[in-house]
Amino acid sequence: MESLIQLFSEPTTWVALATLIAMEVVLGIDNLIFISILTNKLPEQHRERARRIGIGLALIMRLGLLGTVAWIVQLTEPVIELFGQAFSWKDMILIAGGLFLLWKATKEIHHSMDPTPGGDMFEGKAVGTTVTMSFGSAIAQIVLLDLVFSVDSIITAVGMTDHVAIMVIAVIVAVTVMLVAANPLANFINENPTVVMLALGFLLMIGMTLIAEGFGAHVPKGYVYAAMAFSAAIEALNMLARRAKRRQMEAGHKADGSA
């Protein structure tokens, strides 16, 4: 207890904590977008429960990985070499997660554009123009991506500080933010079809970034999130323009009716 008091009495500790919280929140956005898109395919009465379970599992995985920091550090050590390229367990996890994201985002785009979509190996049958998904398959896919994002998150945390207490606090705060933002974000995505396509584009970009990092090509996260922010800003302007046009049309209809 005294060591914790001494640790948090230093200004550098608070700077490290604030920086790590910000980094973990940003990294959690990728995880949250995937959970939002996936759970929106469930029946409405199951969506919130699935989001809570998915985010809860993300917290459990992150805290569990923090308890094995020594093992996590070893994940960055090369274990195999192919065509002159060395790969660690972290690299292979990132590549597998990136490939899954590319596959999943492509399937979702196909389902969004196809007037008669069909299910796939992880999904149920088509109902009308949508594809239903079982609760179990949704949780299984969330767990898979939770693992990928958790490994990336914890390795990032280990690289920023040596104090496990700081990592634990940052992870808990970041996951709490995810939990608070989950329903509003998922509802917003569900109510705006163009945002769904934008979010799927984000998942494609995130998937390619994970694959690139798995092959040793470091992609600065700032560039990725700057592109995402720019696209989101353009879509926000489009939404405002559509609302203004809708108001003008409604006003025109009222004027014609009163005349």
Side-chain angles (χ1 to χ4, degrees):
M1 186 66 182
E2 291 181 2
S3 59
L4 286 177
I5 294 174
Q6 182 178 1
L7 175 64
F8 283 95
S9 64
E10 300 176 5
T12 54
T13 299
W14 291 98
V15 173
L17 178 60
T19 304
L20 189 53
I21 287 175
M23 182 65 70
E24 292 294 322
V25 169
V26 169
L27 291 175
I29 292 173
D30 306 342
N31 208 168
L32 195 55
I33 290 174
F34 180 81
I35 291 174
S36 298
I37 291 176
L38 202 61
T39 54
N40 279 344
K41 300 190 69 176
L42 291 171
E44 190 171 354
Q45 65 270 25
H46 298 315
R47 292 175 185 176
E48 184 173 355
R49 180 180 168 219
R51 288 173 202 135
R52 291 185 180 277
I53 291 175
I55 295 172
L57 289 172
L59 175 60
I60 292 172
M61 284 186 185
R62 283 162 168 77
L63 293 179
L65 290 173
L66 279 176
T68 57
V69 169
W71 175 73
I72 285 293
V73 172
Q74 292 178 0
L75 289 180
T76 59
E77 298 295 325
V79 291
I80 62 170
E81 184 174 334
L82 295 174
F83 306 108
Q85 174 73 40
F87 295 93
S88 65
W89 283 112
K90 177 199 171 186
D91 296 332
M92 289 185 282
I93 290 172
L94 291 180
I95 291 171
L99 289 173
F100 177 76
L101 271 182
L102 290 182
W103 171 80
K104 186 63 182 175
T106 302
K107 292 291 292 184
E108 292 299 326
I109 291 173
H110 175 75
H111 290 160
S112 298
M113 302 301 293
D114 190 349
T116 57
D120 55 39
M121 67 183 75
F122 290 104
E123 296 175 347
K125 59 184 180 179
V127 178
T129 57
T130 60
V131 177
T132 60
M133 175 180 291
S134 70
F135 190 86
S137 66
I139 295 300
Q141 293 180 63
I142 289 172
V143 167
L144 176 60
L145 262 295
D146 276 349
L147 176 61
V148 175
F149 288 125
S150 294
V151 169
D152 193 26
S153 170
I154 297 307
I155 289 178
T156 299
V158 170
M160 293 183 66
T161 180
D162 297 327
H163 301 290
V164 176
I166 295 177
M167 298 181 206
V168 170
I169 294 172
V171 165
I172 292 175
V173 171
V175 174
T176 301
V177 171
M178 289 173 61
L179 192 60
V180 171
N183 285 337
L185 177 62
N187 292 335
F188 179 75
I189 289 176
N190 193 45
E191 293 167 2
N192 297 275
T194 55
V195 175
V196 174
M197 198 59 64
L198 185 64
L200 291 172
F202 289 165
L203 290 183
L204 286 173
M205 184 165 60
I206 293 165
M208 282 304 302
T209 301
L210 292 177
I211 293 172
E213 291 189 352
F215 278 96
H218 176 65
V219 181
K221 291 290 194 300
Y223 294 162
V224 176
Y225 292 113
M228 291 171 64
F230 180 78
S231 297
I234 295 299
E235 180 56 27
L237 293 175
N238 287 332
M239 291 174 66
L240 291 174
R242 286 195 297 270
R243 289 180 183 176
K245 187 175 181 180
R246 195 180 304 122
R247 290 195 199 98
Q248 290 177 357
M249 292 177 62
E250 291 174 355
H253 290 319
K254 288 180 181 179
D256 292 339
S258 61

